[in-house]
Structures are given as structure tokens and as C-alpha cells.
Amino acid sequence: MATVLHLLKGSDAALARSVMEQNVRAGDQVSAVFLEGSAVVELPGAVRVRRVGADLSYAELLELIFASDHVITW
């Protein structure tokens, strides 16, 4: 099991959502972080969702990045 962090900036998250679903099916622990200014979109229920500026600081984001096995930016 890997920890996978997805960083989302754009509003079109169809491909990101598909990859997250694959990560979840593989048994990975999946988190998604919406960067400031990005639109929040619906993601799979097993994905932990956070927002920079709302419930996550940049310092906390940096900690998440270094704690993750894989980081994917969209």
C-alpha cells in the first residue's frame, strides 16, 4: 500500500478522478489537495480532500508532499 497525493489546480479533474479511482482500487491511501484558486470537484469517497488556505497551510502541504510515496500534479 502506497500513500498517493494528488495536487489539483485546474477545474477539469476527469482524468485525475479516474487515476484516483485506480489508486483506491489498488489499496492505496489517496489524498487530494486543491490549491488556492482552484475549483473543488467531486472525487471518489475514499479520497481524503483538503484545500490550501481553508484547512491546510503551505507548511502542512509541504509535510504531506514529503510524507507521500507518490505525488501527482494536475
Side-chain angles (χ1 to χ4, degrees):
M1 176 169 88
T3 57
V4 183
L5 176 64
H6 292 266
L7 303 176
L8 296 114
K9 175 72 175 167
S11 61
D12 183 13
L15 180 57
R17 184 178 17 253
S18 174
V19 172
M20 286 181 216
E21 289 169 352
Q22 291 173 19
N23 294 146
V24 169
R25 283 194 303 272
D28 296 331
Q29 180 183 346
V30 183
S31 297
V33 174
F34 289 94
L35 301 176
E36 286 186 290
S38 64
V40 176
V41 296
E42 183 86 19
L43 297 177
V47 175
R48 181 177 184 197
V49 176
R50 311 276 304 269
R51 281 191 64 102
V52 172
D55 62 358
L56 186 70
S57 69
Y58 279 103
E60 292 168 322
L61 173 59
L62 188 59
E63 289 177 20
L64 280 177
I65 290 170
F66 284 111
S68 299
D69 296 313
H70 303 282
V71 178
I72 303 167
T73 59
W74 301 97

